[in-house]
């Protein structure tokens, strides 16, 4: 009989090929709706490029972009999402994202509020001085993946390079992500190869790094957190072992970039870099199932020195021997 894992691999491979053929499908010419001018926004969180707000009387979140030289206008960014990035994945694995037009004055209003947060010490110091782009007319409305009950936990992580870099040395002892981590700081973290291995022991080792170490605010404990954490880890491990998430990510990275950063950087390379930098959101119900959402599928380009950066990073990892460092637990 044909092993079940072999059958699953063939099915996933065919699915990835179909998704790749469906990408870049024509966009629907539908004007996006406009956010009500009186919508009340509550600052929720922010990263280097965007700020997330909760919208009053809405179950979705609003993502506004900051002023950055490399940032794309949201309209163009959404065109990439709808025509290229989203079709790469089964729809049920994606964080639902739509485009919305901003009413006049909203961005300026929120920039004033950001300055107020700064003056009262309520904004993270490393984000001070970075504000929303006032020329931006659009934003993203995204599904809220935060817990909807006191017995749910959000587990958020970037899988990174779940397949070894094709241009890494054949005798590499470390995967690309672990090699780069060793070069930068030597700190600890999960190995993406572990995460996508399909081996329960290795997946469990990776999951230990991505689940919260302390009980989230508002979480309802029914045992001590140590016991709850064990249950949380096992639920995440089971999901990663049985869902199509990791096989899809692995398949895409192989198909889109068969040569690595030292190769020709063909048509699929930048899309592969998008897949390597996405975020996975898992909303884990401690008394039920796991909901998955893939987000942060921002377009990557070779412009602005990025091609040189990617190639140079790979060369240094190889020439300085970071792929061949034997210390640590990275397994290929």
């Amino acid at each position: 009989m044909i092993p079940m894992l072999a059958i699953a691999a063939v099915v996933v491979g065919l699915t990835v090929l179909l998704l790749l053929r469906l990408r870049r499908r024509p966009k629907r010419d539908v004007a996006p709706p406009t956010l009500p001018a009186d919508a009340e926004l509550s600052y929720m969180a922010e990263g280097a490029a965007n700020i997330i707000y909760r919208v009053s009387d809405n179950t979705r979140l609003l993502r506004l972009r900051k002023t950055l030289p490399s940032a794309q206008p949201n309209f163009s960014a959404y065109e990439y999402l709808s025509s290229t990035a989203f079709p790469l994945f089964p729809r049920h694995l994606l964080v639902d994202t739509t485009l919305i037009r901003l009413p006049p004055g909203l961005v300026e209003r929120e920039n004033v509020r950001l300055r107020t947060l700064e003056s009262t010490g309520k904004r993270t110091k490393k984000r001070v001085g970075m504000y929303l782009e006032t020329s931006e007319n659009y934003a993203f409305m995204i599904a809220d993946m935060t817990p909807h009950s006191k017995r749910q936990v959000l587990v958020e992580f970037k899988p990174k390079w779940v397949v070894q870099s094709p241009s890494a040395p054949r005798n590499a002892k470390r995967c690309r992500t672990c090699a780069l981590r060793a070069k930068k700081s030597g700190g600890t973290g999960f190995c993406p190869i572990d995460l996508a291995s399909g081996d329960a022991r290795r997946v469990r080792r990776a999951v230990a790094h991505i689940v919260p170490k302390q009980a989230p605010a508002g979480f309802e404990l029914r045992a001590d957190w140590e016991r709850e954490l064990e249950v949380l880890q096992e639920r995440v491990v089971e999901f990663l072992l049985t869902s199509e998430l990791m096989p899809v990510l692995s398949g895409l990275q192989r198909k889109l970039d068969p040569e690595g950063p030292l190769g020709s950087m063909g048509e699929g390379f930048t899309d592969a870099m998008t897949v390597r930098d996405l975020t996975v959101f898992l909303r884990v119900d401690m008394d039920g199932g796991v909901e998955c959402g893939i987000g942060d599928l921002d377009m990557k380009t070779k412009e602005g020195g990025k091609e040189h950066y990617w190639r140079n990073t790979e060369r240094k990892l190889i020439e300085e021997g970071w792929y061949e460092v034997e210390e640590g637990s990275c397994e290929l």
Side-chain angles (χ1 to χ4, degrees):
M1 294 181 63
I2 301 175
M4 290 302 295
L5 284 177
I7 295 175
V10 171
V11 171
V12 169
L14 291 174
T15 301
V16 168
L17 283 173
L18 177 60
L19 291 170
L20 287 172
R21 289 177 180 176
L22 287 175
R23 67 185 184 142
R24 304 188 194 282
R25 60 191 176 190
K27 302 178 291 295
R28 294 180 180 178
D29 188 17
V30 178
T34 299
L35 188 72
D38 60 351
E40 280 298 320
L41 307 185
S42 302
Y43 174 93
M44 186 176 173
E46 67 178 292
N50 302 284
I51 302 181
I52 305 297
Y53 292 87
R54 194 175 293 281
V55 185
S56 60
D57 301 324
N58 201 305
T59 58
R60 297 163 71 81
L61 305 177
L62 186 73
R63 192 182 92 164
L64 299 177
R65 76 176 179 94
K66 298 180 185 178
T67 301
L68 291 173
S70 60
Q72 273 197 321
N74 279 332
F75 192 88
S76 299
Y78 190 76
E79 284 187 321
Y80 171 76
L81 287 177
S82 59
S83 67
T84 302
F86 288 164
L88 291 173
F89 300 90
R91 183 171 292 275
H92 66 272
L93 289 180
L94 295 168
V95 172
D96 188 45
T97 304
T98 57
L99 191 68
I100 192 164
R101 190 174 182 88
L102 298 173
L106 181 140
V107 171
E108 289 80 2
R109 181 189 77 191
E110 295 308 319
N111 275 338
V112 170
R113 292 179 175 176
L114 287 175
R115 290 182 172 87
T116 301
L117 289 176
E118 292 175 359
S119 66
T120 56
K122 295 179 180 178
R123 194 180 184 200
T124 305
K125 288 184 178 180
K126 67 178 181 179
R127 307 300 184 195
V128 170
M130 294 293 293
Y131 303 106
L132 301 171
E133 175 54 57
T134 55
S135 67
E136 179 61 76
N137 295 316
Y138 296 91
F140 290 166
M141 292 292 290
I142 58 179
D144 183 2
M145 290 296 293
T146 59
H148 290 176
S149 78
K150 294 182 178 181
R151 289 290 293 166
Q152 291 182 343
V153 179
L154 175 63
V155 177
E156 177 182 344
F157 62 97
K158 285 185 173 291
K160 292 296 184 180
W161 296 56
V162 297
V163 173
Q164 175 66 302
S165 170
S167 50
R170 290 186 178 181
N171 61 340
K173 303 294 191 302
R174 287 183 179 272
C175 73
R176 203 274 186 181
T177 301
C178 290
L180 184 59
R181 183 188 299 123
K183 180 181 185 301
K184 286 184 173 180
S185 65
T188 59
F190 72 88
C191 172
I193 308 295
D194 277 352
L195 203 65
S197 67
D199 179 282
R201 177 185 63 85
R202 296 181 63 179
V203 174
R204 190 172 289 109
R205 180 169 62 190
V207 166
H209 288 279
I210 65 177
V211 294
K213 301 300 182 289
Q214 298 179 338
F219 179 75
E220 180 185 301
L221 287 168
R222 294 183 182 170
D224 59 81
W225 175 244
E226 184 175 341
R227 174 56 187 154
E228 297 273 28
L229 184 58
E230 290 178 3
V231 174
L232 174 62
Q233 289 179 342
E234 288 309 306
R235 288 192 180 277
V236 174
V237 169
E238 181 183 7
F239 175 82
L240 294 176
L241 287 173
T242 58
S243 79
E244 61 189 312
L245 173 65
M246 299 314 300
V248 166
L249 294 182
S250 300
L252 284 172
Q253 291 188 17
R254 287 192 180 95
K255 298 288 184 183
L256 292 169
D257 177 29
E259 299 178 5
L262 298 186
S264 62
M265 288 192 177
E267 179 185 2
F269 179 82
T270 53
D271 293 338
M273 295 306 288
T274 291
V275 175
R276 288 163 176 156
D277 198 39
L278 58 75
T279 302
V280 171
F281 302 90
L282 299 180
R283 182 164 55 209
V284 183
D285 192 318
M286 298 294 283
D287 305 310
V290 178
E291 296 175 75
C292 174
I294 292 172
D296 294 339
L297 288 163
D298 301 314
M299 183 173 71
K300 308 297 182 184
T301 73
K302 302 176 193 175
E303 300 172 1
K306 293 300 292 186
E307 178 175 351
H308 171 76
Y309 170 77
W310 289 325
R311 291 190 187 279
N312 193 50
T313 298
E314 186 79 337
R315 287 193 188 97
K316 286 187 175 181
L317 290 176
I318 295 171
E319 293 170 359
E320 296 175 10
W322 295 105
Y323 274 115
E324 298 164 33
V325 175
E326 295 186 4
E327 293 82 1
S329 59
C330 186
E331 301 175 18
L332 301 180

